[in-house]
């Protein structure tokens, strides 16, 4: 069994991540390869990472950015492994037997097709400028395996997962949506539609790049835009019905309350955003902000 470690690279230095992976491969004589595809990063990061061409089995530099979904599908063209392990470029290895943990699970669970290992961020409080993204990660994303197993598809993320190659050939990432946001959830729901189970184990990657509040809110806006485009596609909208934000939208969709909420959001949008930028308060304010953005974009 061979593992292809697939790392999409964009504006981040990946030397430490690659070296940590290579060390485990070498020390334990694992049958694994490292594939890097740079999605048209700034020249600064291309120069920083270029030396890794000697360390990786393949390092491809794209001239134009193709987005988070297409680049993951592209790894199929270069992968020689039976399984593809996808890692975000801002991840940090914190498990001593990281690769071996995945391999052991596959060996002991011969029918497994998709496995998600989880993620972590620092448990220490960050400064206020980075608090919002950190708080969302702590309370909503970085769940222990027992919590993830309660909703194995909704708790799936693409930052650290392994998939059988023939499974990805069958169910690819939807390349219609190139921008950030909900592409991992849509992929999970596409897997569920094909009755493909997602297994979960405790084998996390450390998130090494928590965005500041301003950048995170920009990404939130982009993600809501992606979600609205998915919901406008009748073939896909039903697959997203369990998403918390979609449920809230459907409650308001055809009711007079929707008009009231839109008026409220229009009047208070700036105040709500400024409150979020301060990095204080409950994530319910973030939920309201997302709902308002979605209502603005939906017919």
């Amino acid at each position: 069994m061979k593992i292809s470690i697939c790392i999409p690279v964009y504006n981040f230095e990946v030397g430490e991540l690659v070296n940590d992976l290579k060390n485990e491969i070498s020390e334990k004589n694992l049958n694994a390869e490292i594939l890097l595809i740079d999605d048209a990063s700034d020249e600064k990061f291309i120069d920083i990472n270029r030396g890794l061409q000697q360390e990786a089995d393949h390092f491809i530099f794209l001239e134009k950015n193709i987005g988070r979904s297409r680049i993951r599908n592209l790894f199929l063209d270069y992968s020689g492994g039976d399984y593809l392990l996808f890692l975000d470029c801002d991840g940090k290895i914190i498990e001593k037997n990281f690769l071996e943990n995945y391999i052991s699970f596959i060996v002991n669970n011969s029918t497994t097709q998709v496995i998600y290992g989880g993620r972590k961020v620092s448990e220490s409080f960050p400064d206020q400028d980075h608090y919002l993204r950190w708080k969302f990660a702590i309370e909503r994303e970085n769940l222990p395996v027992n919590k993830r197993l309660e909703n194995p598809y909704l708790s799936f993320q693409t930052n650290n997962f392994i998939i059988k190659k023939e499974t990805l050939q069958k169910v690819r990432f939807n390349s219609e949506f190139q921008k950030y946001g909900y592409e991992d959830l849509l992929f999970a729901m596409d897997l569920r539609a094909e009755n493909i189970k997602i297994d979960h184990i405790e084998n996390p990657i450390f998130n090494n790049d928590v965005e500041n509040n301003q950048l995170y809110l920009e990404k939130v806006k982009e993600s809501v835009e992606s979600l609205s485009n998915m919901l406008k596609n009748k073939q896909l909208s039903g697959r997203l019905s369990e998403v918390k934000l979609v449920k809230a939208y459907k409650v308001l969709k055809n009711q007079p309350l929707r008009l009231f909420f839109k008026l409220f959001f229009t009047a208070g949008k700036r105040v709500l955003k400024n409150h979020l930028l301060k990095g204080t308060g409950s994530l319910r304010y973030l939920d309201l902000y997302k709902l308002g953005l979605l209502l603005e974009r939906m017919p």
Side-chain angles (χ1 to χ4, degrees):
M1 177 179 64
K2 183 175 183 179
I3 305 294
S4 295
I5 304 168
C6 305
I7 307 174
V9 180
Y10 184 72
N11 284 353
F12 202 84
E13 185 176 352
V14 292
E16 181 181 357
L17 176 60
V18 171
N19 288 331
D20 286 345
L21 291 165
K22 280 186 68 68
N23 286 340
E24 185 178 355
I25 292 170
S26 176
E27 289 173 5
K28 298 175 182 177
N29 195 28
L30 302 178
N31 189 8
E33 62 179 358
I34 298 176
L35 314 178
L36 307 173
I37 302 181
D38 184 280
D39 201 9
S41 293
D42 295 342
E43 196 63 37
K44 168 189 172 183
F45 289 99
I46 291 176
D47 290 341
I48 290 172
N49 291 320
R50 197 181 297 276
L52 295 173
Q53 286 178 296
Q54 307 303 319
E55 305 297 324
D57 294 271
H58 293 284
F59 197 162
I60 295 92
F61 294 88
L62 304 180
E63 293 184 0
K64 293 183 179 180
N65 186 283
I66 63 173
R68 296 164 61 88
S69 295
R70 289 181 181 176
I71 199 169
R72 290 190 172 94
N73 292 334
L74 184 59
F75 278 99
L76 283 168
D77 294 344
Y78 300 95
S79 167
D82 306 289
Y83 287 83
L84 279 66
L85 169 60
F86 284 93
L87 299 174
D88 279 359
C89 63
D90 61 357
K92 178 180 174 62
I93 304 296
I94 54 175
E95 294 290 327
K96 182 179 179 181
N97 302 312
F98 177 71
L99 297 174
E100 201 168 47
N101 289 341
Y102 273 126
I103 293 170
S104 295
F105 187 87
I106 293 169
V107 169
N108 294 318
N109 299 270
S110 59
T111 61
T112 189
Q113 297 185 66
V114 184
I115 313 161
Y116 177 55
R119 68 191 299 167
K120 286 186 176 181
V121 293
S122 173
E123 295 181 0
S124 301
F125 279 78
D127 59 72
Q128 281 194 338
D129 194 41
H130 293 81
Y131 185 77
L132 183 61
R133 180 66 182 94
W134 178 85
K135 186 176 179 66
F136 185 82
I138 290 290
E139 295 188 12
R140 302 279 180 85
E141 285 185 330
N142 300 352
L143 303 176
V145 67
N146 62 310
K147 289 293 184 181
R148 286 189 267 127
L149 286 170
E150 294 176 4
N151 293 290
Y153 294 95
L154 289 178
S155 59
F156 171 81
Q157 297 179 65
T158 56
N159 69 298
N160 170 28
F161 79 101
I162 194 166
I163 183 169
K164 202 170 186 177
K165 185 173 185 177
E166 62 186 42
T167 302
L168 185 57
Q169 289 170 330
K170 180 181 179 181
V171 183
R172 302 194 179 205
F173 283 86
N174 192 318
S175 59
E176 180 181 345
F177 305 100
Q178 298 182 46
K179 293 187 176 181
Y180 170 86
Y182 293 94
E183 74 285 343
D184 47 1
L185 184 57
L186 180 58
F187 179 66
M189 294 306 172
D190 286 344
L191 290 171
R192 186 169 73 171
E194 295 293 333
N195 295 313
I196 296 170
K197 180 184 178 183
I198 298 180
D199 289 306
H200 289 256
I201 65 174
E202 199 66 40
N203 195 34
I205 283 284
F206 185 82
N207 184 3
N208 211 18
D209 186 33
V210 176
E211 301 97 340
N212 63 41
N213 300 337
Q214 177 68 47
L215 180 57
Y216 179 56
L217 284 184
E218 290 173 6
K219 294 181 76 171
V220 163
K221 183 177 180 181
E222 186 176 350
S223 71
V224 171
E225 181 181 348
S226 292
L227 179 61
S228 68
N229 290 333
M230 292 174 187
L231 292 176
K232 291 171 186 176
N233 185 317
K234 293 182 179 180
Q235 292 182 328
L236 301 179
S237 59
R239 297 187 180 184
L240 301 169
S241 60
E242 295 179 33
V243 177
K244 182 180 178 180
L245 180 56
V246 175
K247 286 182 177 180
Y249 163 71
K250 287 186 175 181
V251 169
L252 297 176
K253 182 179 178 181
N254 296 313
Q255 296 187 16
L257 188 59
R258 173 178 179 169
L259 178 60
F260 173 79
F261 185 89
K262 286 188 71 173
L263 290 172
F264 161 79
F265 182 71
T266 301
K269 181 178 180 180
R270 180 175 296 179
V271 174
L272 184 57
K273 183 177 181 180
N274 287 338
H275 180 77
L276 291 169
L277 286 172
K278 291 178 182 178
T280 59
S282 168
L283 289 180
R284 291 183 179 180
Y285 293 109
L286 180 62
D287 294 335
L288 289 173
Y289 186 67
K290 289 180 178 179
L291 181 56
L293 292 176
L294 184 58
L295 285 170
E296 284 184 336
R297 297 196 59 84
M298 294 300 292

